[in-house]
Amino acid sequence: MSKFSEFAEARRKNTKMVPVPSVSIMPERDLGSSPALECLHLGIDFGGLKAVDDFNITVGKTEICGLIGPNGAGKTTVFNLLTKVYAPTRGTIMVDGHDTAGMNPARVNQLGVARTFQNIRLFNSMTVEENVAVGLHNQRHCGMATSILRLPHHWKSERYYHERALELLDIFDMTGLASNEAGSLPYGAQRRLEIVRALATNPKLLLLDEPAAGMNPSETAELMENIVKIRDQFHIAIMLIEHDMNLVMNICEGICVLNFGKIIAKGTPEEIQRNDAVIEAYLGKQKKEVEA
Ligand SMILES: Nc1ncnc2c1ncn2[C@@H]1O[C@H](COP(=O)(O)OP(=O)(O)OP(=O)(O)O)[C@@H](O)[C@H]1O
Ligand SMILES: [Mg+2]
């Protein structure tokens, strides 16, 4: 049995998806806790373009959820709304039961939303460890005077953050690269470092924008394993945008499909694969060309 089908098999055995009020589904095991994310009638307009409209979703506390759709569908825009890069034109975003209205990106990150970017955004001239330290920064409680005067608490806290950074890098077997310049890493390793930096902020909801882009098949298989490992180890929700359907169909428990800014389908991987609107959105053009 291939690695992909092993994952899909395990997912099918462990996950029972149940309906919830926002016309969504979530894993039955998460029903007792507040959802990691709830969006109600979320939308944003750019001039006359409704880039995202009436976006409703519930993501369970430990769910791996896929957000898919053709190019330009509005997927990255959803992540920009969730992280407050864009202020919504309408609708509500609840994170772990808290309404995020009026919050800025830093505040929503402290509340528990962390992300990676479609186009990698690392601090290239800083070391790998320093990039992770930037993520850890939002948990620092050491005052300015303590740091300037180099009081004992400063050194204790420095040691803690150094060890924590190495612990996080170890998830991807990257401790040996801690003192390398981030910009000198191969592409796949830079993508992994972005995930580590996001994890360093201690999220409840991790948003991954095309994490497998540019990776070769063995890197993708390893990434898939690591996404599941991160969810299991940190007990967090992960929402991922991905064009690699093997990855999506094998590790996501719930999937939401966007087309022209609107949700056209929500369901389990099995339901999504046989949904006519989804097949049309992805294959419609080719199908019509073949028929003509
Ligand atoms: N800041 C902006 N100003 C104007 N239009 C924008 C802005 N950001 C996104 N858009 C438009 O919103 C639509 C959705 O873009 P988005 O980047 O969210 O798509 P996507 O689903 O992530 O696509 P891809 O798979 O290619 O990454 C596109 O038509 C895009 O041009
Ligand atoms: Mg995008």
Side-chain angles (χ1 to χ4, degrees):
M1 199 189 273
S2 78
K3 198 145 238 170
F4 283 128
S5 42
E6 263 174 52
F7 269 115
E9 197 54 39
R11 174 178 51 71
R12 273 189 285 270
K13 262 194 221 142
N14 294 333
T15 309
K16 182 176 174 211
M17 301 299 278
V18 293
V20 290
S22 62
V23 204
S24 202
I25 53 171
M26 72 169 171
E28 191 176 40
R29 64 173 185 273
D30 289 337
L31 278 180
S33 329
S34 35
L37 175 71
E38 252 184 310
C39 295
L40 298 166
H41 309 296
L42 183 63
I44 186 166
D45 302 341
F46 295 118
L49 173 76
K50 282 187 184 322
V52 174
D53 193 30
D54 204 23
F55 185 82
N56 296 290
I57 197 171
T58 304
V59 179
K61 202 178 175 65
T62 63
E63 178 177 347
I64 300 180
C65 167
L67 180 59
I68 64 171
N71 292 114
K75 306 178 298 293
T76 298
T77 304
V78 168
F79 277 15
N80 285 334
L81 288 167
L82 300 181
T83 51
K84 299 290 174 156
V85 172
Y86 297 149
T89 309
R90 56 198 163 269
T92 306
I93 303 167
M94 309 276 288
V95 173
D96 191 27
H98 300 275
D99 190 342
T100 65
M103 289 187 187
N104 63 21
R107 179 74 194 91
V108 95
N109 176 245
Q110 276 168 352
L111 184 62
V113 183
R115 77 179 292 182
T116 64
F117 294 88
Q118 187 167 353
N119 306 309
I120 299 172
R121 293 193 200 172
L122 289 169
F123 299 104
N124 285 329
S125 56
M126 284 163 55
T127 67
V128 166
E129 181 177 339
E130 283 164 351
N131 269 273
V132 182
V134 172
L136 289 168
H137 182 76
N138 81 341
Q139 297 154 56
R140 281 194 180 234
H141 300 298
C142 197
M144 203 197 300
T146 311
S147 293
I148 292 172
L149 299 172
R150 298 286 194 260
L151 298 176
H153 183 60
H154 165 81
W155 295 114
K156 213 171 141 191
S157 127
E158 284 297 305
R159 202 167 46 246
Y160 168 78
Y161 288 109
H162 168 67
E163 280 162 15
R164 182 73 186 135
L166 293 184
E167 213 173 272
L168 289 165
L169 284 167
D170 197 38
I171 298 171
F172 287 113
D173 253 338
M174 288 176 77
T175 46
L177 300 172
S179 50
N180 290 32
E181 228 178 55
S184 71
L185 297 183
Y187 188 76
Q190 292 197 13
R191 284 220 166 267
R192 291 188 282 273
L193 176 56
E194 254 209 328
I195 298 178
V196 174
R197 186 180 59 183
L199 273 176
T201 67
N202 201 20
K204 292 177 180 134
L205 172 65
L206 177 63
L207 306 173
L208 305 175
D209 197 345
E210 301 197 24
M215 287 189 173
N216 63 38
S218 77
E219 281 180 318
T220 304
E222 202 177 310
L223 172 73
M224 198 168 71
E225 218 169 302
N226 280 315
I227 291 174
V228 177
K229 185 169 119 188
I230 287 166
R231 188 276 309 276
D232 292 344
Q233 193 173 325
F234 292 81
H235 303 288
I236 58 174
I238 298 176
M239 193 169 179
L240 59 93
I241 295 173
E242 197 35 82
H243 288 289
D244 183 323
M245 284 304 125
N246 250 339
L247 185 148
V248 171
M249 295 301 165
N250 281 290
I251 67 171
C252 293
E253 296 164 297
I255 298 177
C256 173
V257 189
L258 269 187
N259 198 18
F260 297 113
K262 283 198 172 277
I263 293 178
I264 56 165
K266 277 190 274 193
T268 63
E270 291 72 23
E271 287 162 352
I272 294 300
Q273 282 174 74
R274 49 170 198 265
N275 182 295
D276 286 340
V278 177
I279 295 167
E280 175 73 19
Y282 272 95
L283 304 171
K285 199 161 160 267
Q286 285 103 309
K287 228 167 77 181
K288 277 180 198 136
E289 276 166 7
V290 169
E291 280 163 11

